[in-house]
């Protein structure tokens, strides 16, 4: 039973990671819509840009929403990626 749960959550983590990645860069999901998918208790984000480190879900969503609303990140076609847990 535990193995089944683990596999389910591994698949969910991959699905949500891909959805967030594609949604942000392809502009199909606004960052505010990600709130229900993310856990405050175990959330952290380490980005590629200097200073883009967040330990709070609220801070990350606020920053990403600001980037989206100000169009600081261009529309990028993500293509097919490989996501692993």
């Amino acid at each position: 039973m535990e193995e089944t749960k683990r596999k389910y959550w591994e698949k969910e983590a991959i699905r949500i990671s891909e959805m967030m990645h594609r949604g942000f860069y392809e502009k199909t999901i606004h960052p505010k819509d990600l709130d229900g998918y993310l856990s405050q208790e175990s959330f952290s984000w380490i980005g590629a840009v200097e200073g883009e480190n967040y330990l709070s879900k609220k801070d990350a969503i606020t920053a990403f929403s600001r980037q989206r609303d100000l169009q600081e990140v261009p529309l990028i076609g993500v293509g097919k990626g490989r996501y692993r847990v």
Side-chain angles (χ1 to χ4, degrees), residues 40-80:
Q40 179 56 50
E41 294 80 33
S42 60
F43 181 86
S44 64
W45 179 276
I46 300 172
V49 179
E50 185 176 338
E52 192 179 75
N53 304 310
Y54 306 105
L55 297 177
S56 158
K57 175 174 78 168
K58 181 181 179 218
D59 290 347
I61 288 175
T62 299
F64 297 148
S65 294
R66 182 183 164 280
Q67 289 176 346
R68 171 74 175 267
D69 295 342
L70 296 176
Q71 299 178 356
E72 292 179 345
V73 178
L75 177 67
I76 298 171
V78 174
K80 187 168 174 80

